[in-house]
Amino acid sequence: MYNDPYMRTGATAVADASGIVRFKNEFPINGRVYYKLGRDTDESYRMETVKEEYGLPTIDVTDVLLMKTNAVFSLKKDAGVSVRFLVDGQVVTAKQLSSTRYQLPVKPGATVTIRATNRTRTRDETVVLPATLLSQLKINNEISSWTGIFLPNSAVTLTGPNGVTKATASATGRVTLRFPRFTTGQTVTLLSKDGIFRHQQKMAVTEGITPSITVGVITSTSRSVSAKANISYGTLTVSRGTTVLATRNVAATSSSLAIAPQRKGTKLTVKLVTPRGKVATKTVYVK
């Protein structure tokens, strides 16, 4: 019987006709496989190592935090295993953040190979990063919905003082989040997650900008009013004096409102009002 600190159990063997006893560790630790040789001499054992081999190193990717120009890989690996990283077949320098976390200069859509090595064996683990644009989160105190592009088919959550909003991104990563309006300065966190991949952003809610509008030329035969704004939200109204001719909720920076033809020289007022009450007004005359 022989007990070795690297074994999980002792090894037992029977000496052959020449007195040689061969022990084999069937339960390697950290990839090691040990072979031990002993000789029975005067009822005592003389032990020596005759062979030591290493199995393939263990390496698993448990988490990938993906950003626009870099990614942080979290790994599960054997003690004593060294790693190198290749991006699209080229070796890159990784910044080691901890014993298991590495930051790489890489963009979405790239192929990353993690090359793990112990004393004698090498193993490659390949990960293809999702191809996506990763929109910059922009939320102000005026809006109650926001559309962006994140990880394809991912579960997307927006967490803030008003609670948690959940949605699922499409196959292209596009997702629309709907939420109660926030107050300027409140902190919101976005998380997009699919399997081992995740993308995360955090921001303080900003103050909505002051609206402005421009209005296209209106003639006596015009049946619509075209307006362009620097925002894509609010309520747009066309009035003649105290009479409202048309109104609509804005969902884009360009809008068109249907009106009946007006007499030449008629004064019209086009007004855009944001949800928080900011106003942009333009006065035009029918030509």
Side-chain angles (χ1 to χ4, degrees), residues 59-67 70-77 81 83-85 93-105 114 196 198 200:
I59 182 76
D60 290 307
V61 180
T62 59
D63 179 76
V64 180
L65 176 59
L66 183 60
M67 307 302 285
N70 67 82
V72 176
F73 280 70
S74 296
L75 308 178
K76 181 180 180 181
K77 59 187 180 72
V81 169
V83 293
R84 289 195 304 161
F85 295 87
T93 300
K95 180 180 180 181
Q96 188 167 355
L97 305 179
S98 70
S99 61
T100 58
R101 297 174 67 243
Y102 301 83
Q103 186 177 45
L104 311 181
I114 304 99
I196 64 170
R198 64 186 173 97
Q200 191 166 339

Side-chain angles (χ1 to χ4, degrees), residues 33-193:
V33 178
Y34 286 89
Y35 296 86
K36 298 293 184 178
L37 175 67
R39 179 180 294 277
D40 186 358
T41 306
D42 296 329
E43 299 183 350
S44 65
Y45 289 97
R46 179 172 58 85
M47 307 301 298
E48 59 180 307
T49 301
V50 294
K51 187 174 184 181
E52 178 177 327
E53 292 184 353
Y54 281 67
L56 284 173
T58 298
I59 182 76
D60 290 307
V61 180
T62 59
D63 179 76
V64 180
L65 176 59
L66 183 60
M67 307 302 285
K68 283 190 174 182
T69 59
N70 67 82
V72 176
F73 280 70
S74 296
L75 308 178
K76 181 180 180 181
K77 59 187 180 72
D78 294 333
V81 169
S82 61
V83 293
R84 289 195 304 161
F85 295 87
L86 295 84
V87 175
D88 294 329
Q90 301 297 315
V91 176
V92 298
T93 300
K95 180 180 180 181
Q96 188 167 355
L97 305 179
S98 70
S99 61
T100 58
R101 297 174 67 243
Y102 301 83
Q103 186 177 45
L104 311 181
V106 65
K107 295 181 179 180
T111 298
V112 178
T113 301
I114 304 99
R115 183 157 294 166
T117 305
N118 56 24
R119 291 186 183 180
T120 61
R121 306 289 294 276
T122 296
R123 176 187 170 191
D124 286 351
E125 182 74 15
T126 300
V127 175
V128 179
L129 302 181
T132 183
L133 296 178
L134 297 179
S135 300
Q136 183 65 42
L137 185 64
K138 294 180 180 180
I139 295 179
N140 63 42
N141 68 331
E142 296 274 9
I143 63 175
S144 58
S145 68
W146 187 83
T147 300
I149 298 177
F150 299 106
L151 300 181
N153 303 308
S154 64
V156 182
T157 59
L158 183 71
T159 304
N162 299 337
V164 178
T165 297
K166 298 182 179 181
T168 301
S170 69
T172 62
R174 185 179 179 86
V175 64
T176 296
L177 298 165
R178 305 184 189 281
F179 43 82
R181 290 186 182 87
F182 296 105
T183 301
T184 302
Q186 289 182 324
T187 299
V188 294
T189 301
L190 178 136
L191 175 63
S192 170
K193 184 171 175 58

